[in-house]
Amino acid sequence: MMRLPPFDYRRARSIDEAVALRVEHGGMYVAGGTDLYPNMKRRHQTPATVIDLMPVRELRSIEAVSRSIEIGACARLSEVARHPALQGYGALLQAVRSISTPLLRNMGTLGGNVLLDTRCNYYNQSEEWRRAVNFCMKKDGDVCWVAPGSSRCWAVQSSDTVPVLVALDARYRLVGPQGERTVAAGDFYRDDGIQYLHKAGDELLTHVVLPPMDGSDMAFRKLRRRGAFDFPVLNVAVWVRWVNGVVDEARIVVGAVGSAPLRVPEAESQVRGTHLDSTTCAAAAEAAYRPAKPLDNTDFAYAWRKQMVRKFVREALEEVGRRHQGTN
């Protein structure tokens, strides 16, 4: 049985108190704990202090502010999935409902999924297993076993909500000792398996801000071995804004094929100014297929995962196109 290492537990009751506790004691923030606590058991992270954010009511709110929706980082995934204010964000709700199991969605939070640690077959193992291979570059070793000649870690960004939030152009609000800042979801992730976030260690993610859908539509696809529980080994989110019956703007994002979500401008350019007919969707899917370069660091053969990029992008775009045709 894997056990948690010793740590000091602190409860924050406000955002300011949480930041102050982090400055005073160091350590790590925790909300639902569905990622951090298993990682601590495997000795991926061993913070001396854990600061519980769940008592902070402000971090659990979901509310309309002006024309946007602000979701507190500690809003539980199950609450997000059924909240009336979010029913117009179907792709996000689909992504949230695909995460893990109902039990873990009742514990896990949207902020936790946004900040999810990168994953790899060589990293997400017990400490004893990792010691047997002399660890890996991401933790305690100096070789990335996915690409032993590489100078970087290739662990994969495997969140389900992140591709949707990037495609939606959501904003993240962070608070730290230096004050508050807001960053676009698309600028928040780094293509590095170790330093995978543009976030200081003492910064606290407080809210995810969704823009209005206004004339736009989205679709989401997820690939995993089982129909439930499993992390994605590929996911795709597409966002399209319609103006006068044609695509005015598009964002196409591929997830779980690299250390950061992959936005594909080449595919987006294929659909602008079109009606999303089958030929257009196929051309965009081909453009998305080319830059997707999954490695042998998660489930399924990586070459097949690359082939599925083409299929999922085409299907997602066709879904959006069918829905638009059905409303006109």
Side-chain angles (χ1 to χ4, degrees):
M1 177 184 293
M2 293 187 293
R3 299 183 183 277
L4 287 167
F7 61 91
D8 183 24
Y9 173 79
R10 305 275 176 162
R11 286 167 62 88
R13 291 171 178 79
S14 70
I15 291 174
D16 288 344
E17 183 182 7
V19 174
L21 286 170
R22 178 64 173 75
V23 171
E24 180 179 359
H25 299 284
M28 299 182 71
Y29 297 119
V30 68
T34 57
D35 192 43
L36 177 61
Y37 288 142
N39 279 359
M40 290 173 66
K41 289 181 178 181
R42 293 188 292 256
R43 302 308 189 261
H44 293 143
Q45 287 105 30
T46 54
T49 302
V50 170
I51 302 165
D52 187 357
L53 301 172
M54 293 308 284
V56 183
R57 295 176 63 89
E58 182 181 353
L59 294 180
R60 297 183 61 176
S61 64
I62 303 174
E63 57 185 352
V65 178
S66 186
R67 299 180 64 247
S68 301
I69 305 293
E70 295 191 1
I71 308 174
C74 291
R76 298 189 191 277
L77 293 168
S78 55
E79 296 168 349
V80 172
R82 63 173 180 263
H83 199 279
L86 296 171
Q87 295 311 301
Y89 298 85
L92 177 61
L93 301 187
Q94 183 183 352
V96 168
R97 291 166 182 155
S98 77
I99 296 169
S100 193
T101 64
L103 176 63
L104 291 179
R105 289 195 295 274
N106 284 337
M107 298 171 60
T109 63
L110 180 61
N113 200 251
V114 164
L115 302 175
L116 188 69
D117 192 13
T118 52
R119 301 183 61 80
C120 174
N121 287 336
Y122 295 95
Y123 172 68
N124 292 96
Q125 305 289 346
S126 68
E127 185 180 27
E128 291 78 11
W129 190 100
R130 291 182 292 114
R131 182 182 294 113
V133 298
N134 200 26
F135 298 103
C136 72
M137 185 182 291
K138 185 166 167 67
K139 175 62 175 173
D140 297 324
D142 54 10
V143 175
C144 176
W145 295 112
V146 175
S150 176
S151 60
R152 56 156 289 185
C153 165
W154 291 93
V156 175
Q157 205 286 334
S158 297
S159 165
D160 284 302
T161 61
V162 164
V164 177
L165 294 171
V166 172
L168 186 58
D169 197 27
R171 296 292 191 268
Y172 300 158
R173 188 175 302 140
L174 299 105
V175 175
Q178 307 305 315
E180 179 180 307
R181 69 184 178 104
T182 300
V183 59
D187 297 329
F188 190 63
Y189 300 95
R190 300 178 58 178
D191 191 20
D192 185 305
I194 299 173
Q195 302 295 330
Y196 55 93
L197 300 175
H198 286 287
K199 173 184 174 296
D202 55 7
E203 283 188 305
L204 168 63
L205 173 68
T206 64
H207 293 85
V208 175
V209 182
L210 309 182
M213 288 297 288
D214 286 358
S216 64
D217 195 6
M218 296 192 72
F220 173 78
R221 292 291 187 276
K222 175 176 179 174
L223 176 66
R224 54 184 168 179
R225 183 169 291 277
R226 294 174 289 189
F229 188 78
D230 286 342
F231 282 90
V233 292
L234 169 68
N235 48 26
V236 165
V238 303
W239 172 91
V240 167
R241 182 175 63 203
W242 298 95
V243 174
N244 297 326
V246 299
V247 176
D248 176 65
E249 190 57 79
R251 287 187 287 270
I252 298 173
V253 182
V254 180
V257 296
S259 299
L262 174 67
R263 185 172 169 186
V264 196
E266 299 89 341
E268 297 166 2
S269 66
Q270 293 286 336
V271 302
R272 292 192 193 99
T274 75
H275 300 279
L276 281 188
D277 57 48
S278 58
T279 301
T280 298
C281 294
E286 187 65 31
Y289 163 83
R290 288 193 290 268
K293 298 178 181 178
L295 296 174
D296 191 18
N297 48 7
T298 58
D299 198 11
F300 291 133
Y302 59 90
W304 183 70
R305 286 163 58 207
K306 180 176 173 69
Q307 295 288 338
M308 290 297 290
V309 172
R310 183 191 286 120
K311 172 180 170 63
F312 276 12
V313 170
R314 186 187 72 247
E315 288 182 351
L317 289 170
E318 288 175 346
E319 176 187 332
V320 171
R322 285 195 302 271
R323 236 182 343 253
H324 182 69
Q325 292 170 6
T327 59
N328 289 280

